[in-house]
Amino acid sequence: MIIANWKMNGSRESIDSWLRLASSDIEFNEDNLCIFCPPSCFLDYSSSLINEISSSIILGSQSINFSKDSALTGGINTEMLREFNTQYVLIGHSEQREYFNEDNDSLKLKLKSAIESDISPIFCVGEPNDIKLKGQTKDFLSNQLQILDKKYSSHLSIAYEPIWAIGTGDNADLHYIEDIHGFIKDYCDTELDFEEKVSVVYGGSVKLNNCEEILSSSNVDGLLIGGASLDSETFSKIYNLS
Ligand code: PGA
């Protein structure tokens, strides 16, 4: 699973050209999904274009709200996302946790809402630098992971994104990624009693020159890519190497 997270970037024009170019340059493999997460206001346009050009790119949303029916100015619920044929949603990205004050209680509601509407969550976890330096990463991640219900296990994926690696050009090294992904998989298996093996993708300064090394670990099931996903040529090359 290779995911493009466009964050707050793009225009109708840039999305149009990216979707057309990526759809022709990518050698799609049905076992390796290619997911595009544009800003919410472009989901409708992206969905129509994906349909029009019969692209194999799958649409994901960067956010959802925790409830389907509250009076919530600015809210977008999972049923609206389904209208745009959105199949995936990022939940718990560190930027949303920080700037939109998401906590374990609201994230639990978002996970439930997505799964009830048949949208697969990509649940993001990751530690800040001070926690890493204190050697407390696994405790920190356990606290984020403990909200996952085993009944979600066949519907969700996890993205490990160390906060200190996001947008810094300083990706985690392979040994560290392998260790943490192994920990997340074990935690889901033994502590949460997941019935199925969970996929764990890595995000945080993934680039063309480090993607192959990161993917060489059998504990890495894909990539969540921010900055390097904006250029269709770079993103397509990363996908084709994966
Ligand atoms: P980055 O962002 O690839 O620009 O580090 C990743 C993300 O935040 O999903």
Side-chain angles (χ1 to χ4, degrees):
M1 175 188 275
I2 307 292
I3 309 151
N5 174 14
W6 268 36
K7 308 196 180 192
M8 198 168 64
N9 290 289
S11 61
R12 230 203 284 207
E13 201 184 337
S14 60
I15 285 175
D16 189 292
S17 98
W18 190 94
L19 280 172
R20 287 178 197 277
L21 287 167
S23 300
S24 74
D25 291 346
I26 288 176
E27 292 147 22
F28 291 99
N29 165 357
E30 62 183 30
D31 295 330
N32 189 20
L33 300 180
C34 178
I35 301 171
F36 175 55
C37 302
S40 302
C41 55
F42 297 126
L43 282 169
D44 192 9
Y45 183 75
S46 305
S47 165
S48 306
L49 185 62
I50 286 171
N51 200 24
E52 183 192 318
I53 62 177
S54 304
S55 172
S56 299
I57 292 175
I58 293 168
L59 203 54
S61 174
Q62 295 178 22
S63 65
I64 51 163
N65 290 108
F66 59 87
S67 139
K68 286 190 191 143
D69 53 10
S70 330
L72 186 60
T73 303
I76 299 178
N77 70 27
T78 44
E79 288 180 0
M80 297 167 187
L81 294 179
R82 285 301 303 172
E83 284 202 33
F84 307 138
N85 206 14
T86 306
Q87 296 182 44
Y88 285 82
V89 62
L90 300 176
I91 295 182
H93 190 286
S94 57
E95 288 152 11
Q96 295 242 333
R97 288 179 191 258
E98 180 177 358
Y99 298 114
F100 295 111
N101 297 319
E102 284 183 339
D103 58 16
N104 277 355
D105 289 339
S106 60
L107 290 170
K108 250 193 225 173
L109 293 171
K110 289 185 178 200
L111 286 162
K112 182 167 180 288
S113 179
I115 283 170
E116 281 174 1
S117 296
D118 208 17
I119 296 179
S120 303
I122 298 163
F123 184 63
C124 305
V125 297
E127 79 287 7
N129 199 33
D130 61 322
I131 293 289
K132 178 186 174 231
L133 294 176
K134 283 191 256 172
Q136 295 170 348
T137 297
K138 291 179 182 171
D139 287 342
F140 189 88
L141 296 178
S142 304
N143 180 263
Q144 294 184 320
L145 292 166
Q146 43 110 3
I147 65 164
L148 297 175
D149 192 311
K150 77 183 236 191
K151 65 178 184 271
Y152 302 158
S153 59
S154 58
H155 303 282
L156 66 77
S157 319
I158 294 175
Y160 170 58
E161 294 204 307
I163 297 172
W164 47 270
I166 295 177
T168 59
D170 183 18
N171 63 287
D173 68 43
L174 185 60
H175 181 67
Y176 191 79
I177 296 172
E178 276 192 311
D179 180 40
I180 300 296
H181 280 218
F183 166 76
I184 293 171
K185 284 170 187 267
D186 278 356
Y187 186 92
C188 289
D189 190 23
T190 55
E191 300 293 322
L192 301 177
D193 204 16
F194 270 26
E195 277 144 22
E196 306 206 5
K197 284 222 169 314
V198 72
S199 287
V200 184
V201 306
Y202 171 80
S205 293
V206 173
K207 306 276 180 241
L208 192 51
N209 63 9
N210 60 20
C211 65
E212 277 184 291
E213 189 194 359
I214 295 170
L215 285 165
S216 69
S217 164
S218 58
N219 276 349
V220 177
D221 302 305
L223 301 169
L224 174 53
I225 312 169
S229 73
L230 295 171
D231 177 58
S232 71
E233 205 181 320
T234 306
F235 180 76
S236 304
K237 281 186 184 156
I238 294 176
Y239 179 95
N240 291 341
L241 286 168
S242 68

